[in-house]
Amino acid sequence: MSVDQTAIKALLEEHRTFVPSPEFVAQANVSDPTVYDRAEADPEGFWADFAKELHWYKPWDAVLEWNPPHAKWFVGGKLNASYNCLERIINQGKGDKIALLFEGEPGDTRALTYNDLLKQTNKLANTLKSMGVQKGDRVCIYMPMIPELVISLLACARIGAPHSVVFGGFSAQSLVDRITDADAHYVITADGGYRRGKVVHLKEAVDEALKECPNVKATLVYERIGKPDICPVNMVEGRDHWWQTLMAQASDVCEPEPMDAEDVLYILYTSGSTGKPKGIVHTTGGYLVGAYATAKWTFDLKDSDIYWCTADIGWVTGHTYIVYGTMANGVTQVLYEGAPDWPERDRFWEIIEKYKVTIMYTAPTAIRAFMKWGDDLPAKHDLSSLRLLGTVGEPINPEAWMWYYEHIGGSRVPIVDTWWQTETGHLLITPLPGITATKPGSACRAFPGIGVDVIDEVGNSVPNGSAGYLILTRPWPGMLRTIHNDPDRYVRQYWSQYPGRYFTGDGAKKDKDGYLWLLGRVDDVMNVAGHRLSTMEIESALVDHPAVAEAAVIGKDDPLKGQAVAAFVILKQGHERSDGLISELKKHVGTKIGPIARPDDIIVTAELPKTRSGKIMRRLLRDVAEGRALGDTTTLADPAVVAALKQKYSDEG
């Protein structure tokens, strides 16, 4: 592992800064820069102050017990995550406040208050108990983005049954892998969901999966579609139960289970480099404190906000910043079921205008798609209600940042570019919008109380202006406790490279001001003729060209250079592939970075293979470029994209 300090130039020569307006600072939750120093002087006290804002049945005996690489937070304390997201908010006099503004893809809508959610959560908790679910039982949840998905998480948390959410677009085989590894005995699902005008047959996938999951005792099926002609449902007697039927019989009173701070709240599976999903284990106390604190400060949450995180709850972003972190802050949220381009490509802007959204949190991949679709689409809508924008999921290139700032934020709205992982539980690097002068493309600095550094190969901190590996220097509240069924992998993957420090697997650079710039996964660093090149750097250089909307770069095996640069690009509307343009793009990269970074191959494509969370699957691009059999494609949003790319690469490569 190494990162060539001389290879990272153009992306990081960013001198534009955007200072929060006096109006924003005046109302901000955090406007005193000394919070960083205070948190650094006493990190445990800093997190304990946030913990005191939550409800505990029993206070903790110690804030942190750290035996590297194992941590326990709020040791001995007892609380319940569901109570903190529901009763605690209702007891503040907000029971009739709207919690969820639901927008279904077909256009159906619902508004649920915190009182509504408490009633439904209690009924579902009692329903699960009637099915045999007990404290400690794992429950697999496989549902569309509807309010009942939120209710399912909260009901599991209420009775102490760790949930394992599987994204509603994953295959039956993905379900088998996750149900088996978690040893989940219960499944909550729906007959189906909507995606781009089509019905996704969820119960059908569950039926297929359960042929290989004999340990599953019962399923609960929510009727979302309710049209047997287009979404037939096979109910197995004694195993399958209709949600609506059992809920009608259930009491709406269910006392929450006091949980130890270190009791498991959920297991969430994330892709591993080997293709075998890793079950990331998050516990209750530390996770909830970290989720609550970071949501409150990063998004500057106010009682009047209409907040919208566009992620799916099947990913950690949805767990933390749709359910636990934001609901513990008592916000009103938009919950949208469908795709951003259905029925038209301005659906997101239509929703913002309709609900007067004040905070939007979305992915750079989505932003680049919006750029490609054209400036005229957001311009058709009134987006003046927005007061804060956020990005999540991957590093954002400066051009996309600026487009977001100008066309969505009206050149007036702060952007919080956040870095974190499924493993970290909550965001760790971010601007604080009332304090930070932001730079396009930089996540800026660690959240107060978080220990972050950039180091070289031997573990020494690099100076400002240098690149290296991003590590975390001390434990943080929401950190994963282990990998389910694989504790040795937990130690080996995250803590063995630099003992006592968490290895994120990401490259980063500190600029001259100490700002952090994320460079993507270090396994996305190529070795070209002995030079280490960041895929993100070359991608950013390509996107800097006025003809390019999006780019993905991989290193393919080369007998002479070790690896050669291969690029896949999506062109903006109005531009078409030509030999002249391909030559121009290669020259552009060479000019921006240096001749060594000049791509050998550039393939123009209409789409890139992405997971449903929007991340580009470079592993599959390498398979395409090197003519190998494709690896696991179950997490792809559209598997057909890869087949088309293989043909195109064969034709042009």
Side-chain angles (χ1 to χ4, degrees):
M1 297 183 301
S2 66
V3 174
D4 182 359
Q5 308 296 337
T6 64
I8 302 166
K9 297 186 299 185
L11 170 66
L12 306 175
E13 293 172 355
E14 178 60 70
H15 303 295
R16 291 171 292 184
T17 57
F18 294 82
V19 179
S21 69
E23 295 80 11
F24 193 96
V25 173
Q27 60 80 54
N29 288 344
V30 189
S31 56
D32 180 2
T34 64
V35 297
Y36 290 100
D37 295 331
R38 295 202 305 270
E40 190 62 27
D42 182 14
E44 291 184 28
F46 173 78
W47 294 113
D49 285 344
F50 277 112
K52 291 171 186 174
E53 297 179 21
L54 299 176
H55 171 272
W56 297 79
Y57 296 105
K58 176 183 177 295
W60 53 91
D61 302 315
V63 175
L64 172 65
E65 186 179 290
W66 178 226
N67 296 302
H70 300 288
K72 295 181 179 179
W73 281 87
F74 305 105
V75 182
K78 294 195 180 293
L79 75 168
N80 184 278
S82 179
Y83 184 98
N84 273 284
C85 293
L86 297 172
E87 284 100 325
R88 183 177 143 272
I89 304 304
I90 292 168
N91 292 342
Q92 296 171 3
K94 300 176 185 176
D96 291 329
K97 180 180 179 179
I98 293 174
L100 297 178
L101 292 163
F102 172 66
E103 173 94 5
E105 190 185 75
D108 54 320
T109 62
R110 281 187 280 166
L112 288 84
T113 66
Y114 278 90
N115 281 330
D116 293 334
L117 283 183
L118 176 60
K119 180 177 180 179
Q120 293 300 308
T121 297
N122 282 338
K123 289 172 75 71
L124 180 56
N126 287 323
T127 294
L128 293 174
K129 287 182 178 181
S130 74
M131 293 167 56
V133 180
Q134 300 179 18
K135 180 180 178 180
D137 286 340
R138 268 83 66 196
V139 178
C140 177
I141 302 173
Y142 183 67
M143 298 190 79
M145 274 286 287
I146 57 177
E148 286 69 26
L149 176 53
V150 176
I151 292 164
S152 295
L153 271 69
L154 294 173
C156 287
R158 196 164 193 83
I159 62 177
H163 55 73
S164 178
V165 180
V166 180
F167 172 66
F170 276 3
S171 67
Q173 186 56 53
S174 296
L175 268 174
V176 171
D177 295 342
R178 288 154 175 80
I179 290 172
T180 301
D181 189 78
D183 192 24
H185 291 183
Y186 301 90
V187 176
I188 303 175
T189 188
D191 53 353
Y194 292 99
R195 188 72 176 175
R196 289 194 172 91
K198 297 178 181 178
V199 170
V200 180
H201 298 267
L202 299 175
K203 178 57 165 59
E204 186 178 285
V206 170
D207 289 343
E208 186 66 27
L210 294 194
K211 293 175 183 177
E212 299 180 46
C213 300
N215 288 342
V216 171
K217 300 175 182 178
T219 76
L220 186 65
V221 185
Y222 180 79
E223 190 178 68
R224 164 66 176 140
I225 307 300
K227 298 176 181 178
D229 54 326
I230 61 172
C231 188
V233 178
N234 175 46
M235 299 291 282
V236 176
E237 189 173 353
R239 185 195 73 182
D240 299 341
H241 309 274
W242 284 111
W243 171 300
Q244 282 89 338
T245 301
L246 294 190
M247 288 282 280
Q249 304 164 6
S251 165
D252 61 7
V253 177
C254 179
E255 288 301 313
E257 183 76 25
M259 303 296 290
D260 188 271
E262 284 298 309
D263 281 341
V264 176
L265 177 61
Y266 68 84
I267 302 169
L268 183 59
Y269 286 84
T270 183
S271 297
S273 57
T274 64
K276 182 181 185 297
K278 299 173 293 187
I280 304 302
V281 176
H282 284 295
T283 54
T284 306
Y287 170 78
L288 191 63
V289 170
Y292 167 76
T294 53
K296 182 176 185 177
W297 278 19
T298 301
F299 302 118
D300 190 52
L301 294 175
K302 303 287 192 291
D303 198 45
S304 57
D305 275 319
I306 308 296
Y307 165 93
W308 184 23
C309 171
T310 69
D312 192 288
I313 292 172
W315 310 99
V316 73
T317 301
H319 280 59
T320 304
Y321 299 115
I322 295 177
V323 184
Y324 294 111
T326 39
M327 292 195 68
N329 277 280
V331 302
T332 296
Q333 303 188 71
V334 170
L335 189 72
Y336 173 52
E337 177 185 31
D341 57 352
W342 188 269
E344 302 294 340
R345 286 175 166 175
D346 63 345
R347 185 69 183 266
F348 272 22
W349 321 129
E350 182 182 75
I351 289 172
I352 289 173
E353 182 176 28
K354 177 179 179 178
Y355 293 106
K356 296 182 169 51
V357 171
T358 60
I359 302 169
M360 182 187 191
Y361 192 36
T362 196
T365 295
I367 295 167
R368 288 190 288 268
F370 301 148
M371 291 171 63
K372 176 187 171 188
W373 296 343
D375 304 345
D376 58 314
L377 294 177
K380 287 165 48 180
H381 296 276
D382 180 3
L383 307 182
S384 61
S385 59
L386 288 166
R387 69 176 194 89
L388 184 70
L389 297 172
T391 71
V392 60
E394 60 182 329
I396 184 170
N397 55 295
E399 186 187 30
W401 194 102
M402 286 301 304
W403 187 91
Y404 197 34
Y405 179 75
E406 293 171 354
H407 293 278
I408 308 306
S411 299
R412 60 178 178 81
V413 173
I415 295 176
V416 288
D417 172 21
T418 64
W419 176 89
W420 56 302
Q421 301 173 322
T422 303
E423 292 89 340
T424 71
H426 51 76
L427 63 87
L428 300 185
I429 303 175
T430 180
L432 291 181
I435 297 175
T436 310
T438 54
K439 297 183 182 183
S442 172
C444 297
R445 63 183 299 184
F447 190 86
I450 300 296
V452 168
D453 199 4
V454 180
I455 61 172
D456 61 21
E457 290 179 52
V458 296
N460 297 319
S461 182
V462 303
N464 286 358
S466 299
Y469 305 118
L470 183 72
I471 61 160
L472 305 174
T473 60
R474 58 172 175 256
W476 63 98
M479 62 188 282
L480 78 163
R481 297 304 193 261
T482 189
I483 295 175
H484 187 63
N485 287 336
D486 203 346
D488 291 342
R489 188 179 181 187
Y490 165 76
V491 176
R492 184 175 65 252
Q493 182 157 347
Y494 303 111
W495 299 95
S496 62
Q497 291 92 335
Y498 305 99
R501 297 183 286 181
Y502 175 93
F503 180 64
T504 67
D506 279 351
K509 176 171 176 170
K510 294 188 287 190
D511 70 13
K512 62 181 177 62
D513 299 318
Y515 276 43
L516 293 166
W517 297 75
L518 278 301
L519 302 174
R521 303 294 296 172
V522 294
D523 54 15
D524 288 335
V525 174
M526 301 169 292
N527 190 337
V528 180
H531 295 265
R532 301 291 285 182
L533 299 175
S534 161
T535 58
M536 184 197 169
E537 182 192 14
I538 300 174
E539 289 166 6
S540 186
L542 285 164
V543 173
D544 179 71
H545 190 280
V548 178
E550 190 167 5
V553 168
I554 53 100
K556 68 170 186 173
D557 288 341
D558 183 271
L560 183 63
K561 296 184 287 188
Q563 285 186 303
V565 178
F568 298 79
V569 302
I570 297 175
L571 299 180
K572 292 180 179 175
Q573 289 182 342
H575 296 273
E576 295 183 0
R577 187 200 179 282
S578 67
D579 291 344
L581 178 59
I582 298 300
S583 297
E584 185 180 326
L585 292 177
K586 291 179 179 180
K587 181 180 179 181
H588 183 74
V589 173
T591 301
K592 294 287 288 185
I593 302 173
I596 193 65
R598 181 185 172 101
D600 284 48
D601 298 330
I602 294 181
I603 303 299
V604 175
T605 180
E607 299 288 347
L608 290 167
K610 296 175 185 176
T611 66
R612 294 172 182 84
S613 65
K615 291 186 179 180
I616 297 167
M617 292 193 71
R618 291 176 179 81
R619 170 175 58 79
L620 292 178
L621 291 176
R622 282 190 285 271
D623 291 342
V624 168
E626 296 177 0
R628 289 193 299 269
L630 297 179
D632 177 29
T633 60
T634 57
T635 59
L636 281 177
D638 184 0
V641 169
V642 184
L645 267 177
K646 284 189 72 174
Q647 183 61 48
K648 201 164 187 62
Y649 198 91
S650 176
D651 294 342
E652 296 183 18

